[in-house]
Amino acid sequence: MERAIRGTVFVLCLLPFVFMLYGALNNSLGPDPGEQLMHVSGEWSIRLLALTLLVTPLRHWTGWQVLLKMRRMLGLYAFFYACIHLLVFLQLFIGWLPQVLLEELVERPYITVGFASLVLMLPLAVTSTRGMQRRLKRNWQRLHRLVYPAAIFACVHLLWQSRSDVGEALAYIAVFSLLLGWRIWRRQARKQGAATA
């Protein structure tokens, strides 16, 4: 049963990439394929990042331990789509020129925070294995708290690049605020419980 669930989640997470690839190969991404690829890859990265953070409260509320085994897969897929987002940007908008990238990072704050989010996600992806978890021990949990600023930067990136329509960005900000707020509330509740024990 667990393998079936993991396999289903894996396939569902891969489907957006399959659709993007199909659209690119068949020239069916609309009048601006590059912009469409940027939009879709970025959206799926932030969606999967939200789902990654949703795992812990869901497991807390339902008691389903299998959810914890989905967290690493969801996080890696979030990083995967963030990498696609960056690669499309480098290929179509930067031309792989370091000086142009540097100029964009300096002149466009929304690109700076988006790049910062990806940089913060990189060590999380590299240390996502059980072997790294055993090696780092308690430091593993401390390191993986980088997901919180990565999520904040991703929301700011989306908000700042939005022009007239900020509704989508505000919706993601609300979702991440709830997810991070729940963690803060739970930590405070634990501290109060320990103090009164």
Side-chain angles (χ1 to χ4, degrees):
M1 183 63 179
E2 182 180 318
R3 284 188 176 182
I5 294 174
R6 287 169 63 88
T8 301
V9 172
F10 181 88
V11 170
L12 288 175
C13 290
L14 188 61
L15 281 178
F17 174 72
V18 173
F19 290 138
M20 282 190 290
L21 185 61
Y22 177 83
L25 293 175
N26 289 275
N27 197 26
S28 59
L29 292 174
D32 193 342
E35 187 65 31
Q36 181 66 8
L37 287 173
M38 285 283 293
H39 178 74
V40 173
S41 58
E43 275 223 330
W44 276 105
S45 179
I46 199 170
R47 286 172 183 170
L48 289 163
L49 192 57
L51 288 174
T52 303
L53 290 174
L54 182 61
V55 165
T56 298
L58 271 182
R59 195 269 306 171
H60 178 76
W61 296 328
T62 65
W64 296 343
Q65 297 299 322
V66 69
L67 289 173
L68 290 177
K69 298 182 178 180
M70 303 294 110
R71 185 168 54 188
R72 178 173 62 177
M73 184 189 303
L74 293 170
L76 287 172
Y77 263 116
F79 179 69
F80 171 69
Y81 284 107
C83 287
I84 293 176
H85 191 65
L86 175 63
L87 290 174
V88 172
F89 176 70
L90 292 174
Q91 175 67 28
L92 300 180
F93 298 94
I94 300 298
W96 299 94
L97 298 172
Q99 67 272 20
V100 178
L101 175 60
L102 183 60
E103 289 174 5
E104 291 291 311
L105 289 172
V106 171
E107 295 175 2
R108 302 180 190 272
Y110 77 91
I111 294 177
T112 307
V113 294
F115 189 74
S117 179
L118 178 61
V119 169
L120 289 174
M121 292 170 68
L122 177 59
L124 307 186
V126 171
T127 61
S128 64
T129 63
R130 290 191 182 92
M132 291 301 297
Q133 189 172 356
R134 285 193 297 268
R135 290 177 192 172
L136 294 172
K137 298 179 182 179
R138 290 184 179 180
N139 289 326
W140 188 87
Q141 286 187 334
R142 296 190 186 104
L143 176 65
H144 278 248
R145 287 173 188 159
L146 289 175
V147 68
Y148 306 138
I152 293 170
F153 286 155
C155 287
V156 174
H157 170 70
L158 182 59
L159 179 64
W160 281 355
Q161 75 171 350
S162 302
R163 295 176 184 174
S164 58
D165 184 11
V166 297
E168 183 181 26
L170 293 177
Y172 281 113
I173 289 172
V175 169
F176 281 105
S177 296
L178 289 172
L179 292 171
L180 298 180
W182 179 84
R183 283 165 167 81
I184 294 171
W185 169 80
R186 192 174 179 216
R187 182 172 295 180
Q188 293 299 323
R190 283 178 173 177
K191 287 182 179 178
Q192 291 178 0
T196 56

